[in-house]
Amino acid sequence: MEKTTKRLEIMAIFQELFKQADLYDENKQPIHDKIIYLCQGKLYPDWRRKPELQMAKELAKRAIALTGPRLETVNDVFKKVGDLGTAFGILKQQIDENSTQSTLYKTERVLTVSEVYNTLVQIANYSGVVSQKKKISMLSGMLSRCEAQEAKYIGRFIDSKMRLGTADLTMIEAIARMLAKNENEQSINREIIERAYNIYPDLGTVLKTVMLEGIDAMKRFQPKLGVPIRSMLAQRLDSPEEFLPKHGGEFAAEYKLDGERVQIHTRDKKVMLFSRRQEVISKQYPDVVNSVMNYITAKSAILDGEIVAIEPGTGKLMPFQLLMRRRRKYGVDEKMEEIPTRVYLFDVLLLDGKSMLDTPYLERRACLERSVSTSQDKILPVPQKIIKSYPEFVDFFNQAIKNGTEGLLTKSTKPESVYQPGARGWLWIKLKSLQRGKLPDAIDVVIIGVNWGEGRRAGQWGTLLVAVNNEDTGSLEMLTRVSSGMDDEKAEFLFKNLKTIPTCPRNVKSTETPDKWVEPDTILEIVGDEITESPNTIIGYSIRFPRIVRIRDDKGVDDITTAAEVLSMRTGSRNETDI
Ligand code: ATP
């Protein structure tokens, strides 16, 4: 799997793997879930809030030293190669070459997937200084029984560098194919599994359930408190005239707020907040938790909304950049007073135990309005208007912009206007103000490299090399260099948070070599004036006058703009974007 970045090839490997008959442990339980977690490089989905594997490199080095080599040798190898995985592989190879043990002994010491996974979980569960010894001895016990190749991947897992490039959707496709007799069945399966995964974003559990109970069990997945549902996303239309015909002559328009998406889970005054990436963010927003406790009248609910920063005193809506300062681990209370927030709710996905996903939009909206107490301004249904004519649309858009929003989100009011978890369909279509750039939309890119700055930015990163996702090749491909729009706050954040790495990662393609490559996990929203042809980039196109709008720490590399989307903007770009 590591030798390719091609989606189709990775999928074929998974399909073959999942098909094998012996993927069951001694209790006849499927181990498919464990395989998935190990490939993803995590022990559980983030939202489960179970202890993650945090093992300092020094402890890991001591663990391998316990299996034979001297600690100095371990340190030397590590210094040379720079990462635990490669170092473990090399050291284990050396141990095996020097060892006189027979092949028979080697086959007896075979490690199973379950053992590896369970041991890693046990290590994760140990915390505190006292348990350091236990962590080391568990890891060394496992390492003493593995082959060089196995040690390499265990090392990578501990180092959080699995990077097999396996997107969840690729694995879903592999499962769908594995269970299908023909193409028709394949696409039916994919839809069924994707639906379950969008409601219960834990691919391990989903696959285990399929293996135990069959594909029909997928249909029983329903929204559940404490399990974040994948957010519904919006399509984009460039010209405002297209909205009414596209929605069939009528739609609901809502303010498009410039904040952070939040999914609120609440029951009996207990509250949990999830981000768009299904991380738990309750601790960052104690004020939001309070508002939910005090002003949500439903006994239990899952609500979808946006947290927005407001100006203290006036209550005016403030831009996202300000809210980003609330995203911190320490000093939360201080910042809470400095940057107060308000929540605008725009959907309800579960109400008093009943799933609302298949309820049409207007009915959901009515339920939402009934679930919030009035006469307060901390948590409110988003301003909304039913639009039946173009002038009404223009008026409401201009009003939204005047009130400090990004534009409008238009939503279908037809009977089929259900909530589609995880989908970017035409039931929701956005219209942005776009005063910031001339392209029809902002582009989300991942930072792949950095160059040292000069002058004011000396000693920090000046120019950033950024990439989009080419879904055909499975690579992150360089799109442009960008430096304008970098203010002090962003420069500081990037200098502190970007992780430099010694070489260009396997899945990154770039025509330029930056001063430093970085771990491709930080997302920037950029705007520009035009998509132009360019022989100097991998995708063949670049952006004229790119400017950084903001750092999107609410997005991951799976959410960035694709090369195909960039191309579509090229044909769709126009000069006048305001209405
Ligand atoms: P996307 O979320 O579509 O990938 P994005 O994060 O760049 O892209 P946009 O495409 O600009 O955001 O718009 C969608 C986002 O707008 C939602 O994820 C949500 O956070 C935000 N939003 C603001 N107001 C609303 C609203 N009334 N209804 C739905 N989403 C809204």
Side-chain angles (χ1 to χ4, degrees), residues 406-578:
E406 271 195 312
L408 292 177
L409 244 160
T410 69
K411 300 187 174 176
S412 166
T413 50
K414 290 189 200 149
E416 62 269 26
S417 56
V418 296
Y419 189 95
Q420 300 174 308
R424 191 186 291 285
W426 288 102
L427 292 176
W428 288 13
I429 315 172
K430 59 192 169 189
L431 181 64
K432 290 200 191 181
S433 69
L434 302 173
Q435 285 152 328
R436 298 176 301 196
K438 290 184 180 162
L439 285 179
D441 202 353
I443 299 179
D444 293 321
V445 291
V446 62
I447 305 175
I448 54 170
V450 285
N451 291 327
W452 288 108
E454 288 168 6
R456 202 171 132 71
R457 295 265 169 260
Q460 284 182 317
W461 306 130
T463 313
L464 311 171
L465 215 57
V466 298
V468 288
N469 181 11
N470 186 336
E471 286 189 317
D472 294 334
T473 60
S475 308
L476 301 171
E477 298 186 349
M478 181 198 148
L479 174 71
T480 183
R481 262 185 279 160
V482 60
S483 55
S484 85
M486 175 103 85
D487 53 26
D488 291 349
E489 193 178 342
K490 291 191 196 88
E492 207 173 293
F493 178 90
L494 293 174
F495 196 69
K496 226 196 264 160
N497 289 285
L498 289 178
K499 297 179 265 318
T500 59
I501 45 177
T503 49
C504 180
R506 205 170 46 92
N507 61 338
V508 169
K509 304 272 174 291
S510 171
T511 44
E512 277 186 41
T513 307
D515 290 343
K516 296 273 179 201
W517 295 106
V518 298
E519 194 73 61
D521 58 8
T522 304
I523 315 303
L524 284 186
E525 181 177 316
I526 63 171
V527 291
D529 279 4
E530 207 185 339
I531 306 280
T532 50
E533 271 184 52
S534 161
N536 299 325
T537 68
I538 297 278
I539 70 164
Y541 294 93
S542 192
I543 301 186
R544 220 155 82 90
F545 301 134
R547 301 186 285 294
I548 304 167
V549 180
R550 60 193 184 188
I551 297 157
R552 295 291 309 248
D553 63 351
D554 60 332
K555 283 198 170 185
V557 72
D558 290 342
D559 304 315
I560 66 173
T561 306
T562 62
E565 281 168 341
V566 171
L567 283 192
S568 82
M569 285 188 200
R570 181 167 192 262
T571 36
S573 70
R574 62 208 160 91
N575 290 330
E576 273 315 308
T577 46
D578 251 349

Side-chain angles (χ1 to χ4, degrees), residues 61-291:
K61 287 188 209 163
R62 273 160 59 194
I64 189 120
L66 278 182
T67 69
R70 287 151 40 114
L71 195 55
E72 295 90 88
T73 318
V74 174
N75 278 327
D76 284 349
V77 172
F78 185 78
K79 218 180 269 164
K80 217 180 282 162
V81 296
D83 73 276
L84 274 185
T86 318
F88 275 15
I90 293 172
L91 287 160
K92 222 29 221 177
Q93 183 97 33
Q94 288 172 358
I95 299 168
D96 279 354
E97 280 163 9
N98 297 336
S99 146
T100 50
Q101 284 154 355
S102 68
T103 354
L104 180 66
Y105 173 74
K106 279 190 186 162
T107 46
E108 273 173 2
R109 65 179 194 181
V110 164
L111 270 178
T112 66
V113 169
S114 291
E115 272 177 287
V116 173
Y117 180 82
N118 294 343
T119 309
L120 293 171
V121 168
Q122 272 175 301
I123 296 177
N125 285 336
Y126 283 123
S127 64
V129 186
V130 192
S131 57
Q132 285 193 357
K133 263 199 193 137
K134 292 218 173 96
K135 284 188 181 185
I136 295 174
S137 83
M138 299 211 75
L139 179 59
S140 79
M142 185 158 67
L143 287 172
S144 65
R145 292 171 56 212
C146 55
E147 308 275 334
Q149 181 87 325
E150 293 164 345
K152 173 170 143 189
Y153 289 102
I154 290 174
R156 275 211 199 155
F157 193 97
I158 293 173
D159 218 1
S160 313
K161 292 209 172 112
M162 275 313 264
R163 262 204 246 119
L164 285 174
T166 39
D168 285 0
L169 288 182
T170 308
M171 289 199 250
I172 290 179
E173 182 73 39
I175 306 167
R177 287 181 182 212
M178 170 188 75
L179 298 170
K181 287 191 219 67
N182 52 45
E183 269 185 31
N184 186 30
E185 254 184 43
Q186 246 175 48
S187 70
I188 296 172
N189 287 352
R190 187 191 320 117
E191 216 170 283
I192 296 174
I193 301 167
E194 234 182 277
R195 178 194 164 275
Y197 166 74
N198 284 329
I199 297 178
Y200 200 100
D202 171 357
L203 205 50
T205 302
V206 167
L207 178 54
K208 191 171 171 178
T209 313
V210 170
M211 298 320 291
L212 279 174
E213 301 174 44
I215 190 109
D216 278 346
M218 296 291 95
K219 298 181 189 154
R220 294 202 298 270
F221 276 77
Q222 288 299 336
K224 198 168 165 210
L225 284 161
V227 181
I229 296 169
R230 296 187 71 228
S231 298
M232 179 164 172
L233 301 170
Q235 275 287 3
R236 161 174 63 82
L237 271 178
D238 295 341
S239 71
E241 294 85 0
E242 294 172 66
F243 280 69
L244 273 167
K246 189 81 190 173
H247 277 306
E250 180 188 307
F251 59 83
E254 297 179 351
Y255 278 12
K256 181 174 188 315
L257 298 140
D258 188 17
E260 172 163 15
R261 182 107 180 224
V262 64
Q263 196 176 97
I264 300 167
H265 290 224
T266 175
R267 179 171 57 200
D268 298 330
K269 308 271 171 209
K270 285 197 211 68
V271 181
M272 236 169 132
L273 308 178
F274 293 102
S275 73
R276 189 194 139 133
R277 295 172 72 191
Q278 292 104 42
E279 302 143 321
V280 182
I281 50 170
S282 319
K283 284 218 174 79
Q284 275 107 326
Y285 295 110
D287 45 348
V288 173
V289 170
N290 260 331
S291 307

